[in-house]
Structures are given as C-alpha cells and as structure tokens.
C-alpha cells in the first residue's frame, strides 16, 4: 500500500519587485533562510498575520521568522493554490 502524501503545497510566485530583491541576494545563508520561510508559507499560507487594509485589493499577509531574520509580505489567491510574494527582507 502506498504511503499517504503530505499536505498539498501552494505554488509560490514572485512579483517583479520581489524577483528583483531575490536576484540581489548573494549570501548562501540568506538564501537558505529565505527558502525555509517560503516552505512554511507554501505548506500553511495562513501562517502569516493579516496586515491592516481594506478589502478592495488582495488581503496582504506578513510572515516574519525572527530566528532566521526573514520577512515576507504576500497574498494568497482565491483558490489558495498560489502564494504571490510581494516583498522579501532577509
């Protein structure tokens, strides 16, 4: 009997500005820290806290990992299959 699969992960996409920020990261340690944070939000998109705002646009969320010193600002699509990262801070 095949082993059960783990939870389905959301796909991660980057805004143009987040992609530029990603390109600017050169440290292996920072890339590793960012990768860990991206895994967290791909498994549990609701892990980040909702940021204050109106309901006119997508609801932005912020995920902060104080140990790895990573901050992501993102939103989750209506079907909860894609997490779009808008801002990266490592």
């Amino acid at each position: 009997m095949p082993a059960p699969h783990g939870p389905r992960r959301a796909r991660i996409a980057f805004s143009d500005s987040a992609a530029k920020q990603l390109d600017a990261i050169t440290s292996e340690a920072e890339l590793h820290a960012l990768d860990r944070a991206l895994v967290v939000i791909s498994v549990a998109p609701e892990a980040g806290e909702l940021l204050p705002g109106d309901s006119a646009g997508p609801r932005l969320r912020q995920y902060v990992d104080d140990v790895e010193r990573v901050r992501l600002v993102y939103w989750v699509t209506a079907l909860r299959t894609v997490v779009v990262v808008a801002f990266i801070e490592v």
Side-chain angles (χ1 to χ4, degrees), residues 17-83:
S17 62
K20 287 178 186 174
Q21 291 169 322
L22 183 60
D23 288 341
I25 298 173
T26 58
S27 163
E28 191 74 28
E30 289 178 346
L31 285 173
H32 178 71
L34 176 60
D35 187 50
R36 290 174 50 98
L38 291 171
V39 167
V40 169
I41 64 171
S42 73
V43 172
E46 68 283 350
E49 66 183 52
L50 281 172
L51 294 175
D54 60 23
S55 60
R59 291 297 314 263
L60 291 177
R61 300 185 79 87
Q62 172 179 260
Y63 175 77
V64 177
D65 182 331
D66 291 327
V67 174
E68 295 283 354
R69 295 178 30 192
V70 175
R71 178 175 170 239
L72 301 173
V73 176
Y74 65 98
W75 71 89
V76 181
T77 63
L79 297 177
R80 301 184 60 79
T81 58
V82 177
V83 174

